[in-house]
Amino acid sequence: MTRRLWNLSAGPAVLPESVLAEAQDSLLSLGDTGVGVCEHSHRGKAFVGVADEAEALCRELAGIPDNYRVLFLQGGASTQFAMIPMNFLTSDATADYINTGAWSKKAIKEARLFGNVNVASTGEETNFSTIPASHSFSDHPRYVHYTSNNTIFGTQFAAEPDGFSDDAFLVCDASSDIFSRPIDVSKYGIIYAGAQKNLGPSGVTLVIIRDDLVEAGNDQLTSMLQYRTHAGSDSMFNTPPTFGIYLMMLVFRWIRDNGGLAGMGTRNRDKAGRLYDTIDRSSLFRATAAQAARSQMNVTFVTGDADKDAQFIAEATAAGFNAIKGHRSVGGMRASIYNAFPPEGVDALIQFMDEFENGTT
Ligand code: PMP
């Protein structure tokens, strides 16, 4: 097999090796069925078993209360940017959005097509290196939307925003930190995430939505864009992304076997903590996110000299670190160390950074 690199890609991202090995076998035969996982009917017993286990594990891991539905949808998180306001916002209503970067902005743009948007707070003045400490919520927003982790800018909310009116529900785009630490689902109306960072491959989107919202959504929309359609058919109104759901099930088993969300939280805190410590004690590297806003998923850093950054990226790439170049809007480097990125990979990166700084690479 080709040597596998330390994959620091922001998404699609690294998956647990044991998951990939099992998926490899399942491509030819799912269990002892003699039919590959991508070749099974989504309505057959074998795949329905997969979908049922994926949902059951998802519920168990996150402690999802019974009055929430778990949906496996398509169209990525980007379709949720539109589907949420389309279902819940009207031209005479307002939704509040916290703007913490490029993905929040995309969500805001979609919402403006359907109703009023109040940007309750923004990190724009600091090029999104901070998480706003306070928010100007409107009196009675329909909902409050935030992006829990900002993949591009390397910032993350330490806790859910609060202080908004009781009649609004909280919506979270958790695409880049879902299931990276324990979560209290009962605080939310809707949580959504594209799978391709912490949960599986691209092409499947996890949506956790409270029952009353499924029913409250606009019923004049095309069927595929109503939550009730998918909730009413166990995410099988049309052909679901079967391989993605299968891989998600394997990733959920891997999370369960590695201590659940608490285990992920400890593992991620430790990995990110060691990497930030290295950056903080370095006289070459500097973190771009403010201390209190630092992400445990996407660690962004620079040297302050674009040529030096380019040299580091080239040498790190040659040394086997994949996709360490930062997003163009931040520059420098970004190490995406999602759940499945191994602690040994962080050790290797730290060693490489030390050697680069000491001129011994
Ligand atoms: N939100 C966040 C925080 C993201 O990081 C991304 C993708 N990188 C998206 C939304 C968009 O997701 P998708 O490509 O699944 O539409």
Side-chain angles (χ1 to χ4, degrees), residues 2 35 65 85 92 134 137 172 236 248 268 277 296 300 322 328:
T2 307
V35 173
D92 57 354
S134 60
F137 294 118
C172 181
M236 294 215 195
M248 220 191 243
N268 291 323
D277 283 348
Q296 291 181 3
T300 50
N322 180 56
R328 61 191 176 283

Side-chain angles (χ1 to χ4, degrees), residues 319-335:
F321 297 96
N322 180 56
I324 195 166
K325 191 174 191 302
H327 191 271
R328 61 191 176 283
S329 54
V330 183
M333 285 68 74
R334 171 174 53 177

Side-chain angles (χ1 to χ4, degrees), residues 131-330:
I131 295 286
S134 60
H135 318 283
S136 300
F137 294 118
S138 52
D139 285 346
H140 293 286
R142 180 75 176 98
Y143 60 84
V144 173
H145 179 284
Y146 81 110
T147 314
S148 50
N149 182 77
N150 306 288
T151 325
I152 293 177
F153 295 96
T155 63
Q156 186 174 23
F157 280 76
E160 296 84 5
D162 55 14
F164 51 87
S165 129
D166 284 349
D167 50 9
F169 60 92
L170 186 61
V171 179
C172 181
D173 171 5
S175 291
S176 53
D177 68 351
I178 183 129
F179 289 8
S180 66
R181 56 187 179 185
I183 182 169
D184 181 353
V185 173
S186 70
K187 289 186 174 167
Y188 296 86
I190 304 175
I191 301 165
Y192 64 94
Q196 64 269 22
K197 297 161 203 311
N198 262 342
L199 301 181
S202 59
V204 53
T205 311
L206 179 68
V207 175
I208 301 169
I209 178 169
R210 218 172 53 209
D211 282 341
D212 58 301
L213 297 173
V214 170
E215 288 317 313
N218 183 348
D219 62 4
Q220 299 302 303
L221 298 168
T222 181
S223 307
M224 279 295 281
L225 296 175
Q226 295 188 35
Y227 292 102
R228 64 172 63 72
T229 305
H230 302 289
S233 55
D234 291 331
S235 304
M236 294 215 195
F237 172 70
N238 70 325
T239 315
T242 53
F243 185 65
I245 295 170
Y246 167 72
L247 225 63
M248 220 191 243
M249 176 197 80
L250 294 185
V251 170
F252 288 153
R253 282 186 191 166
W254 177 85
I255 295 176
R256 178 198 60 198
D257 296 345
N258 284 276
L261 299 196
M264 291 298 113
T266 307
R267 177 180 159 101
N268 291 323
R269 215 174 24 252
D270 176 64
K271 286 188 301 180
R274 287 188 297 115
L275 194 45
Y276 284 117
D277 283 348
T278 303
I279 295 168
D280 288 343
R281 69 173 156 72
S282 153
S283 44
L284 177 66
F285 301 110
R286 168 172 68 75
T288 61
Q291 183 100 26
R294 288 174 173 182
S295 167
Q296 291 181 3
M297 300 279 97
N298 312 96
V299 177
T300 50
F301 57 104
V302 293
T303 63
D305 170 348
D307 290 341
K308 199 80 182 164
D309 287 352
Q311 185 195 342
F312 178 81
I313 291 161
E315 290 189 19
T317 306
F321 297 96
N322 180 56
I324 195 166
K325 191 174 191 302
H327 191 271
R328 61 191 176 283
S329 54
V330 183

Side-chain angles (χ1 to χ4, degrees), residues 29-44:
S29 174
L30 177 62
D32 59 5
T33 62
V35 173
V37 60
C38 298
E39 305 167 300
H40 273 284
S41 162
H42 58 295
R43 302 201 189 280

